Amino acid sequence: MAHQNAVYITRYQGQRQQLLRNVYIPAPTLVRVLRGSKSLVWRGERVEVTPGRWLALSAGQSLTFVNQPGDRGFESVTLSFLAQPPGEWLIEAVPAVEAPCLAANTALAFCFDALVNGVSHRVDETAQQHLALALFAQLRQANKLTLLFPGEELTWRDRVARFLMADPGAAHSLEAVAQALGVSRATLHRRLKQENSSFRQVLADIRMGYSLTVLQKGHTVTEAAIACGYESRTRFAERFKQTLGVSPGQYCRTLIKPAEVSILRPETIELC
């Protein structure tokens, strides 16, 4: 049986300002800035995120971000959760109405780092679940868990997105994904339509997010296109710019190039 992480971890860097629009959030996500700052466009206003202030984003949103490097550049880490907190924690929660931010503290940072280290060292699934639960407990204590999980039920768009996250570049079809989720093709199509979505749109959103991760690792635009399931580099570049507001080349010019190019792996996906 394949090893299933409780969370996807993604790291981002930049040496120039990065403006990205329509960044899809496929799973509840914590964003922690380590260097520089991040601005979130939230209901027409900018919310500033610094190393002392984290973002807690619920799934299913498409958001606009500006990553601003400081003297030592920009760096952030995101945790995208597949694990869920106990149902009773969600029932008791009051839906949040404030901006999706929280003040960092030592307890939150400890639990965050423990989960990152656990996943990085490939501890087993049960241990990862417990580490994620510890972080959820600290968020609950701070009355911020509802920012990540505003409700108990996953939408069908969320379910499809989380399934696709495991391998964004594969040749996914509506039929195959419907079968994996235990419904018919027609039922999945209808339920996504009821949520004003479609399988094709969710797949494109997931792939565009993943493409940012691939480019962050130092791969070329052509390699990113292939990794995201595109046969045409041109079509990939068009979709990238149409969705995110910049071309792949423009995005690459904002990056800090890694010393070594990592082997492509589907464990991480870009969120913001």
Side-chain angles (χ1 to χ4, degrees), residues 73-92:
F74 173 83
E75 183 180 1
S76 69
V77 181
T78 68
L79 302 184
S80 303
F81 294 97
L82 300 186
Q84 292 277 118
E88 59 268 25
W89 291 7
L90 302 181
I91 292 173
E92 70 187 20

Side-chain angles (χ1 to χ4, degrees), residues 8-11 165 168 210 213 217 265-270:
Y8 287 115
I9 301 171
T10 317
R11 300 176 183 273
M165 284 172 68
Y210 181 58
T213 301
K217 291 182 176 181
R265 298 174 62 85
E267 287 103 58
T268 57
I269 183 165
E270 160 75 18

Side-chain angles (χ1 to χ4, degrees), residues 166-213:
D167 193 0
H172 295 290
S173 67
L174 178 60
E175 291 82 358
V177 174
Q179 183 178 19
L181 296 179
V183 296
S184 69
R185 179 188 186 280
T187 296
L188 183 56
H189 173 78
R190 182 177 67 255
R191 289 178 176 173
L192 288 172
K193 187 175 182 180
Q194 289 171 346
E195 296 175 359
N196 297 315
S197 187
S198 69
F199 173 75
R200 184 169 301 209
Q201 183 60 53
V202 179
L203 179 58
D205 287 341
I206 291 295
R207 285 176 168 175
M208 286 301 99
Y210 181 58
S211 70
L212 295 172
T213 301

Side-chain angles (χ1 to χ4, degrees), residues 215-234:
L215 294 173
Q216 277 276 338
K217 291 182 176 181
H219 292 279
T220 67
V221 175
T222 298
E223 289 170 336
I226 294 171
C228 292
Y230 285 82
E231 296 181 358
S232 167
R233 180 186 187 279
T234 300

Side-chain angles (χ1 to χ4, degrees), residues 18-41:
Q18 298 168 337
L19 169 59
L20 296 171
R21 69 186 188 193
N22 297 323
V23 178
Y24 180 59
I25 311 300
T29 299
L30 273 181
V31 182
R32 182 180 180 183
V33 173
L34 303 179
R35 290 186 286 131
S37 63
K38 177 188 287 285
S39 296
L40 163 68
V41 178

Side-chain angles (χ1 to χ4, degrees), residues 78-265:
T78 68
L79 302 184
S80 303
F81 294 97
L82 300 186
Q84 292 277 118
E88 59 268 25
W89 291 7
L90 302 181
I91 292 173
E92 70 187 20
V94 177
V97 295
E98 76 271 27
C101 296
L102 58 102
N105 58 45
T106 55
L108 280 169
F110 176 85
C111 293
F112 187 104
D113 292 340
L115 180 53
V116 170
N117 289 330
V119 174
S120 299
H121 288 88
R122 298 188 64 80
V123 301
D124 69 23
E125 297 170 42
T126 301
Q128 288 190 29
Q129 292 283 343
H130 284 298
L131 292 170
L133 184 62
L135 183 52
F136 292 152
Q138 289 302 132
L139 290 168
R140 181 189 183 209
Q141 185 180 64
N143 294 318
K144 296 297 183 179
L145 186 61
T146 188
L147 291 175
L148 287 177
F149 300 95
E152 287 187 87
E153 295 297 323
L154 290 176
T155 67
W156 282 94
R157 180 183 174 98
D158 293 343
R159 297 182 193 189
V160 171
R162 295 189 193 189
F163 179 84
L164 297 175
M165 284 172 68
D167 193 0
H172 295 290
S173 67
L174 178 60
E175 291 82 358
V177 174
Q179 183 178 19
L181 296 179
V183 296
S184 69
R185 179 188 186 280
T187 296
L188 183 56
H189 173 78
R190 182 177 67 255
R191 289 178 176 173
L192 288 172
K193 187 175 182 180
Q194 289 171 346
E195 296 175 359
N196 297 315
S197 187
S198 69
F199 173 75
R200 184 169 301 209
Q201 183 60 53
V202 179
L203 179 58
D205 287 341
I206 291 295
R207 285 176 168 175
M208 286 301 99
Y210 181 58
S211 70
L212 295 172
T213 301
V214 176
L215 294 173
Q216 277 276 338
K217 291 182 176 181
H219 292 279
T220 67
V221 175
T222 298
E223 289 170 336
I226 294 171
C228 292
Y230 285 82
E231 296 181 358
S232 167
R233 180 186 187 279
T234 300
R235 181 71 188 107
F236 165 76
E238 289 173 349
R239 169 67 77 170
F240 189 102
K241 185 169 185 178
Q242 178 185 33
T243 301
L244 300 172
V246 297
S247 71
Q250 288 172 323
Y251 181 71
C252 287
R253 287 192 287 275
T254 71
L255 303 179
I256 297 173
K257 299 299 182 182
E260 298 180 359
V261 176
S262 303
I263 297 174
L264 284 182
R265 298 174 62 85

